[in-house]
Amino acid sequence: MSEQPRSDQDMAFARVLAEKYRGQFFDDDQAPRFGVSANHDASILLSSLELQVSRYIDSPPSFLPAYLRRLFEHEIALARRLFTVGHDVLVLRKAGNGFGLDVIVDVFNRRARRALSRWGQRDLDYRDDGPAVPPLPGPPLTREWIDDVARGPAPVRFASGKEGSTSFLTLFSDALRISATTASSAQPLQVYTANCNLKGWILEIWPQFNYSPMRFGTMMTWPVTDTLPTTGNYMFQGLKGASVQQDPTPHYLGPSRTQTLVKL
């Protein structure tokens, strides 16, 4: 399965929004301390983006239902806490989005730390159909861990605050546009099904704008079902013991596509 098609105009629109509102998202003179974000700032930024998207797709100015508004405000707040004056942000290369952008890494997310720490590792049974023991928790967040993972096999690197915030806002604006186009037909907590080419794996999923994996479903592959709060392009990864496998293809999930095939 692939991501939702977007036109050159759609991509240009997302880039324009990122450039226009980047200072509202991350300002060197008003940046928060690392790990701290203000929800009222997220609300103001989201309202600005929502207005621009509504004009672009010719929809009512406030198209987001309350539950989606809370979700997107939360995503902005989660991303903003990664930025602080004088420090670069960690980004994931080859992230699979159609913009060719490297994606910010939520280093506060223990699943992200676990996957990046074990990148390239393979258990002997990672191709077997049988279940594996649950993976261990991710390592604690320290400056040493960030430096070590940046030097390791995981496809990550450091990026400036400007580059990281531009990437986030471009991909977030695109996700907001996609959500807006299906807002009238989308259902809260729509159930989705993920099939997989391998059995016995735990699936994790993350949105296109932030490498912040969360568990998809409670069962091992396959199939696996779970709910998602909003329509959009998502990425999958699988875990089995110490093994971590990425599906490099983005998956569009929404009212018109409630099933997908994950290839690890």
Side-chain angles (χ1 to χ4, degrees), residues 12 37 91 220:
S37 183
V91 295
M220 296 182 182

Side-chain angles (χ1 to χ4, degrees), residues 76-95:
I76 292 174
L78 286 179
R80 287 188 75 247
R81 64 183 182 158
L82 301 173
F83 294 82
T84 185
V85 175
H87 289 85
D88 293 336
V89 294
L90 202 64
V91 295
L92 180 69
R93 295 184 285 110
K94 302 176 182 178

Side-chain angles (χ1 to χ4, degrees), residues 113-131:
R113 298 198 304 273
R114 176 176 61 195
L116 294 177
S117 297
R118 299 178 181 177
W119 207 278
Q121 295 185 28
R122 295 288 184 270
D123 273 357
L124 294 178
D125 64 346
Y126 83 103
R127 286 285 182 182
D128 292 345
D129 287 344

Side-chain angles (χ1 to χ4, degrees), residues 218-231:
T218 58
M219 306 292 291
M220 296 182 182
T221 58
W222 48 266
V224 183
T225 60
D226 203 350
T227 58
L228 293 174
T230 182
T231 296

Side-chain angles (χ1 to χ4, degrees), residues 184-258:
S184 60
S185 58
Q187 300 179 20
L189 301 179
Q190 170 73 53
V191 177
Y192 296 95
T193 300
N195 294 296
C196 186
N197 63 320
L198 296 177
K199 289 185 177 182
W201 286 68
I202 292 172
L203 291 183
E204 294 182 342
I205 190 171
W206 49 281
Q208 67 176 14
F209 46 78
N210 188 353
Y211 181 60
S212 52
M214 59 182 179
R215 177 75 182 263
F216 184 84
T218 58
M219 306 292 291
M220 296 182 182
T221 58
W222 48 266
V224 183
T225 60
D226 203 350
T227 58
L228 293 174
T230 182
T231 296
N233 294 319
Y234 292 91
M235 304 295 293
F236 281 91
Q237 64 186 20
L239 295 90
K240 189 173 185 180
S243 303
V244 178
Q245 296 262 99
Q246 297 283 322
D247 182 342
T249 303
H251 297 251
Y252 170 71
L253 295 171
S256 63
R257 187 181 297 169
T258 59

Side-chain angles (χ1 to χ4, degrees), residues 146-200:
I146 294 177
D147 291 336
D148 287 345
V149 79
R151 292 190 295 262
V156 295
R157 65 178 179 84
F158 289 115
S160 67
K162 179 179 180 180
E163 180 186 354
S165 58
T166 298
S167 168
F168 171 78
L169 274 183
T170 301
L171 296 170
F172 182 84
S173 297
D174 183 63
L176 188 61
R177 177 191 60 80
I178 294 172
S179 183
T181 59
T182 60
S184 60
S185 58
Q187 300 179 20
L189 301 179
Q190 170 73 53
V191 177
Y192 296 95
T193 300
N195 294 296
C196 186
N197 63 320
L198 296 177
K199 289 185 177 182

